Amino acid sequence: MKSVKNIDFFKNIRQVREYDFGIFYFFDGLVISEMKEGVIFGWKMAEKAVKAAHEVMGEDTPIAYISNRINSYYVVPTDWVKFYKNRHQLHFYSVVGYTKGNVVSLFLERLFFRNSIRKFTDLEEAIAWSLERIKQESTLV
């Protein structure tokens, strides 16, 4: 399991925001989260991360989000409805999962997330995929 701060890509960091529930790493067009062990990640927590993303990246920038699940935690899948109700949007979403529990959580999230969720077992592959999608999206605008 690789943490963002332990890979070469970390040198591209724009900003880090640490909360009691996890850490969010902000790069150009890319946000990577690492939640803390045992957290139940719901809308109130997500709202803080969304606000931080707007502060760091602006509100009109296409964003790719990677959930780097190095710890075991839970996502409240129905809270995706609140995400959309507040008119937020992720252009690309991927999960880097290392356990079978991540697969179950991902299945539930897919029921409520409007776009596709890409699953990876390697953080650097997820980053490469996300950056390529952001690059493609930027050339279309």
Side-chain angles (χ1 to χ4, degrees):
M1 295 185 271
K2 297 177 187 174
S3 175
V4 177
K5 62 187 174 203
N6 296 328
I7 62 173
D8 191 47
F9 185 73
F10 186 73
K11 67 183 178 204
N12 299 308
I13 193 77
R14 286 182 61 184
Q15 198 170 120
V16 177
R17 298 276 179 107
E18 188 164 353
Y19 302 98
D20 57 343
F21 53 86
I23 303 172
F24 288 78
Y25 301 90
F26 295 92
F27 303 88
D28 289 331
L30 178 63
V31 179
I32 303 174
S33 69
E34 294 179 347
M35 298 301 156
K36 294 186 178 176
E37 185 72 32
V39 164
I40 298 173
F41 187 70
W43 172 242
K44 291 291 181 194
M45 295 171 190
E47 209 169 21
K48 291 179 183 179
V50 168
K51 182 180 177 197
H54 288 165
E55 289 171 7
V56 175
M57 307 166 109
E59 294 190 32
D60 298 323
T61 304
I63 295 176
Y65 173 66
I66 299 173
S67 174
N68 189 29
R69 298 187 176 177
I70 59 173
N71 294 309
S72 181
Y73 69 95
Y74 305 94
V75 175
V76 181
T78 54
D79 277 3
W80 279 111
V81 174
K82 294 174 186 172
F83 180 82
Y84 291 116
K85 187 176 179 181
N86 286 280
R87 303 199 183 281
H88 299 302
Q89 181 176 338
L90 290 173
H91 287 79
F92 307 101
Y93 177 31
S94 58
V95 172
V96 181
Y98 305 95
T99 67
K100 289 182 182 180
N102 291 142
V103 174
V104 173
S105 179
L106 181 59
F107 175 76
L108 290 172
E109 284 179 75
R110 283 182 171 155
L111 295 175
F112 296 94
F113 185 67
R114 291 182 184 166
N115 300 331
S116 65
I117 303 173
R118 184 78 189 252
K119 183 185 179 307
F120 293 90
T121 56
D122 182 78
L123 177 58
E124 291 169 295
E125 287 179 21
I127 291 169
W129 179 84
S130 298
L131 292 175
E132 183 59 34
R133 296 305 168 280
I134 289 296
K135 181 180 171 185
Q136 290 172 358
E137 182 90 3
S138 297
T139 59
L140 295 175
V141 176

